[in-house]
Amino acid sequence: MIRKILHILFLPCSEATLLMEKRNAQTISAKERRRLNLHIAICKWCKAYNEKMKLLDKIFRKTFSEKDTEINEVEIQDFKNKMIDKLNF
């Protein structure tokens, strides 16, 4: 019960996942990092999501570093647009 209350008061899962994505793409502030770390410590679902994100990032980095593959800006923008469409349902 206390975990649920802390979970909601400190940082909801929706914000935690966004911070994880933001952290993966760029740096986050010290305050955001503290809030995220606290949330991950008390939320088993977000902890699992965080671990999967780290694994996927490691796989992608290894794959792209091995292949000398270049991704152009059009492909990146197309990917972003597809993700936005899927998130908006």
Side-chain angles (χ1 to χ4, degrees):
M1 177 77 174
I2 292 175
R3 279 185 148 199
K4 239 182 193 180
I5 293 169
L6 290 174
H7 180 255
I8 293 168
L9 288 176
F10 285 112
L11 188 67
C13 291
S14 58
E15 287 184 40
T17 54
L18 287 174
L19 280 177
M20 285 182 232
E21 296 292 343
K22 182 179 174 184
R23 181 189 62 196
N24 200 27
Q26 62 191 31
T27 58
I28 59 176
S29 70
K31 180 181 177 183
E32 290 173 323
R33 193 170 38 256
R34 278 192 307 269
R35 290 181 74 204
L36 180 59
N37 289 338
L38 177 62
H39 182 90
I40 290 171
I42 62 174
C43 180
K44 66 180 180 181
W45 303 109
C46 288
K47 183 176 183 176
Y49 180 80
N50 188 48
E51 293 302 315
K52 288 178 184 176
M53 269 188 52
K54 285 180 183 179
L55 179 63
L56 285 173
D57 188 51
K58 185 177 177 181
I59 291 169
F60 286 138
R61 288 182 193 273
K62 184 178 178 188
T63 300
F64 285 115
S65 68
E66 289 175 354
K67 287 188 178 177
D68 279 344
T69 304
E70 284 190 36
I71 300 175
N72 63 34
E73 290 298 318
V74 174
E75 290 174 331
I76 292 171
Q77 191 59 44
D78 187 43
F79 176 75
K80 286 180 181 179
N81 291 338
K82 287 178 183 176
M83 291 305 294
I84 289 169
D85 288 344
K86 287 185 179 192
L87 289 172
N88 290 330
F89 300 110

